[in-house]
Amino acid sequence: CPEIKQGAQPGRLPRHEVSPVAAGAGEEFEGATVTNQEELIDAITLEIAETLEDAARLLEPSDRWTQGAYARYASGCAAAIMSSNAVAFCAEGAILQCTGGTSKGWQVHNVFNAFIKRTLDPGGIAEYNDACGRTKTDVVRALYQCAAELRGTI
């Protein structure tokens, strides 16, 4: 995924609730030492925002966004999300591609899905992405908006 851009904008999304099972005082998270649970929550929230921005940047170039499948080959046929030959992605596929298909991707997915349901489409990400008349610009904007709201909670 593209290099992460820094920046913060205020928002309305409530602080991401995290079960602090891994890091405690003085432990490392993503190379930074966290000294308390609040710092851990902030670090995870920031990482989720950065992943959403990565997914938006992945979709921005021409012909990188799709509907009706997580990913597509250049031929237009549906592809596995993690296929090295996939060239286009839906919003969910982009998030999972940017996280290497790990459980982190599903955590980011869940945060973005809650944002979509609350602000844009009660059906969630797939329904929003695949709606008739939806554009890549709409989807990219939603990814950036969710990231901005998360950054506003830190």
Side-chain angles (χ1 to χ4, degrees), residues 29-52:
F29 175 78
E30 295 293 313
T33 301
V34 293
T35 57
N36 60 47
Q37 184 175 342
E38 189 74 17
E39 286 182 9
L40 174 61
I41 292 170
D42 287 350
I44 292 170
T45 301
L46 179 60
E47 184 180 8
I48 291 169
E50 290 170 343
T51 301
L52 290 165

Side-chain angles (χ1 to χ4, degrees), residues 58 64 70-75 77-89 93-94 96-98 100-101:
L58 178 65
R64 294 293 300 215
Y70 284 114
R72 293 195 184 277
Y73 297 114
S75 67
C77 293
I81 297 168
M82 297 311 301
S83 170
S84 61
N85 295 320
V87 298
F89 304 90
L96 296 171
Q97 177 69 212
C98 287

Side-chain angles (χ1 to χ4, degrees), residues 91-109:
E92 291 173 300
I95 289 168
L96 296 171
Q97 177 69 212
C98 287
T99 57
T102 64
S103 61
K104 173 187 164 188
W106 290 108
Q107 293 167 350
V108 175
H109 167 278

Side-chain angles (χ1 to χ4, degrees), residues 11-19 36-46 48 111 114 118 146 149-154:
R12 302 180 314 276
L13 200 65
R15 175 180 287 310
H16 179 67
E17 292 300 318
V18 178
S19 173
N36 60 47
Q37 184 175 342
E38 189 74 17
E39 286 182 9
L40 174 61
I41 292 170
D42 287 350
I44 292 170
T45 301
L46 179 60
I48 291 169
V111 170
R118 180 178 55 83
C146 184
E149 286 195 11
L150 285 169
R151 287 180 180 280
T153 67
I154 296 174

